[in-house]
Amino acid sequence: MKLALAADHGAFELKESIKKHLDEKGIVYKDFGCFSKESVDYPKFAYLAASAVAKKEYDFGVICCTTGLGVSMAANKVHGIRAAVCTNEMLAEMTRRHNNANVICMGQNVVTSELADKLVDIFISTEFEGGRHQRRVDLLTDIENGKDI
Ligand code: RB5
């Protein structure tokens, strides 16, 4: 299990605390930045981590900003990425079970660091259910490929 992490300045601290949690659990990750609280543009960092996941270099992405919203929009522009903003345990579980999400997005002003750790744990340990959900995820891919559905 390898994770791609990224955040903008608005979630630098949240990313650092998630890294501490992953270190304690022995989970391997790469930090794609940013590396300080200096103001940066969130699409660049979301793109770095999301494209590494899309290339299958990492199993999942964990990408954060102040709200989780901007990074999710940026990540979802990357072909092959299904990024979901998660604010509670149910969302972190359901977006894996039903949407086969490969990136979890969170907001530093939205979730506590304790909740963020919990959401990451749930997200990376929940299996996609497949079946009828595979058909729906395939339709998402069709949309991404410019097909009419
Ligand atoms: C940065 O000020 C803020 O806009 C960013 O962290 C993010 O929340 C955008 O959606």
Side-chain angles (χ1 to χ4, degrees):
M1 167 74 64
K2 283 202 301 183
L3 306 182
L5 265 56
D8 74 350
H9 57 285
F12 172 72
E13 286 156 325
L14 183 63
K15 173 168 65 62
E16 292 309 297
S17 88
I18 292 170
K19 281 163 62 179
K20 200 164 159 244
H21 175 67
L22 297 175
D23 286 338
E24 282 164 11
K25 296 196 83 175
I27 296 171
V28 176
Y29 61 83
K30 176 171 173 177
D31 183 353
F32 285 86
C34 65
F35 300 107
S36 77
K37 286 197 262 180
E38 193 184 320
S39 182
V40 293
D41 296 330
Y42 64 82
K44 295 184 181 177
F45 295 91
Y47 173 75
L48 288 175
S51 18
V53 173
K55 285 185 218 149
K56 312 253 184 250
E57 293 167 358
Y58 296 85
D59 298 287
F60 296 114
V62 178
I63 311 182
C64 304
C65 61
T66 311
T67 57
L69 298 173
V71 287
S72 75
M73 292 181 191
N76 275 316
K77 300 284 181 199
V78 176
H79 202 277
I81 291 301
R82 289 174 301 280
V85 183
C86 293
T87 55
N88 64 37
E89 289 93 331
M90 188 269 285
L91 296 180
E93 180 186 334
M94 293 305 286
T95 199
R96 284 289 309 129
R97 283 174 53 187
H98 286 194
N99 314 126
N100 201 13
N102 48 14
V103 171
I104 181 170
C105 297
M106 292 176 290
Q108 180 172 296
N109 283 11
V110 181
V111 295
T112 62
S113 57
E114 292 77 16
L115 180 58
D117 293 346
K118 219 182 273 180
L119 299 190
V120 170
D121 289 347
I122 293 168
F123 187 84
I124 66 174
S125 63
T126 303
E127 295 291 331
F128 176 50
E129 280 178 16
R132 67 186 187 282
H133 301 295
Q134 182 63 60
R135 185 175 71 245
R136 292 158 187 170
V137 169
D138 289 344
L139 287 166
L140 294 178
T141 306
D142 286 348
I143 295 171
E144 187 175 53
N145 289 331
K147 282 195 194 162
D148 282 329
I149 59 168

